[in-house]
Amino acid sequence: MDSIFTKIIKGEIPSYKIAENDSFFAFLDINPNAKGHSLVIPKKQVDKLFDLDAETYSELFLFSRKVAFAIEKVIPCNRVGLTVIGLEVPHAHVHLIPLNNMQDASFSKPKIQITTEEFSSLAHEISKHVKL
Ligand code: AMP
């Protein structure tokens, strides 16, 4: 069965896309910890990160690095943090979160609210800086 993220890759569910190539797709998290909170996923649907084949695993992190550089160009932050959880969506994914304090990395704190216009604008601005 297709995961919600596979449906996003196929365009069956909308997303605020940042970048994609043949193997990976990056988009804004719809329920962000901070402005610019993004997800990077392999197009290959595998539930757990460490079950990815070694090449896809390595390439996922190299692709995520390119997205993180782009986020840093657009979002003022101390640094971009990388987290893997995966308890909600069974499709391996990396969270890239602009961090200014430890709370920004917390998935227990209240999420921030962003308008659809701001989501679109953030995705557009970050996408302009991704150098694939
Ligand atoms: P987890 O699997 O625990 O890493 O959490 C899944 C993450 O995916 C959460 O941060 C959700 O806000 C995010 N998410 C779920 N559905 C969507 C969607 N349709 N578009 C963007 N982000 C999503």
Side-chain angles (χ1 to χ4, degrees):
M1 196 179 84
D2 282 353
S3 72
I4 191 165
F5 289 169
T6 294
K7 289 179 182 167
I8 284 175
I9 293 162
K10 289 181 174 175
E12 294 169 4
I13 291 178
S15 69
Y16 297 100
K17 179 176 144 181
I18 292 170
E20 78 174 304
N21 66 9
D22 287 346
S23 307
F24 304 101
F25 192 98
F27 55 109
L28 291 177
D29 192 306
I30 203 69
N31 200 13
N33 287 25
K35 267 186 202 179
H37 180 167
S38 305
L39 300 173
V40 185
I41 58 179
K43 290 190 172 176
K44 201 180 284 182
Q45 183 177 320
V46 171
D47 178 358
K48 298 183 202 164
L49 181 84
F50 295 120
D51 288 339
L52 288 169
D53 63 85
E55 187 185 347
T56 306
Y57 176 88
S58 306
E59 293 291 329
L60 173 65
F61 282 90
L62 289 173
F63 191 91
S64 300
R65 182 169 177 255
K66 292 174 181 175
V67 177
F69 284 143
I71 293 170
E72 278 179 342
K73 290 233 161 51
V74 175
I75 309 289
C77 60
N78 183 289
R79 66 195 59 217
V80 173
L82 187 156
T83 305
V84 174
I85 300 181
L87 289 174
E88 186 185 319
V89 179
H91 184 143
H93 54 279
V94 165
H95 291 261
L96 297 175
I97 308 174
L99 303 176
N100 286 300
N101 53 61
M102 284 297 284
Q103 278 299 98
D104 292 334
S106 167
F107 285 77
S108 311
K109 69 154 194 170
K111 301 291 183 168
I112 62 159
Q113 300 300 318
I114 299 186
T115 63
T116 52
E117 291 76 17
E118 203 170 1
F119 268 121
S120 296
S121 157
L122 281 168
H124 180 66
E125 287 305 311
I126 295 168
S127 71
K128 285 199 294 193
H129 291 278
V130 179
K131 293 188 173 60
L132 295 181

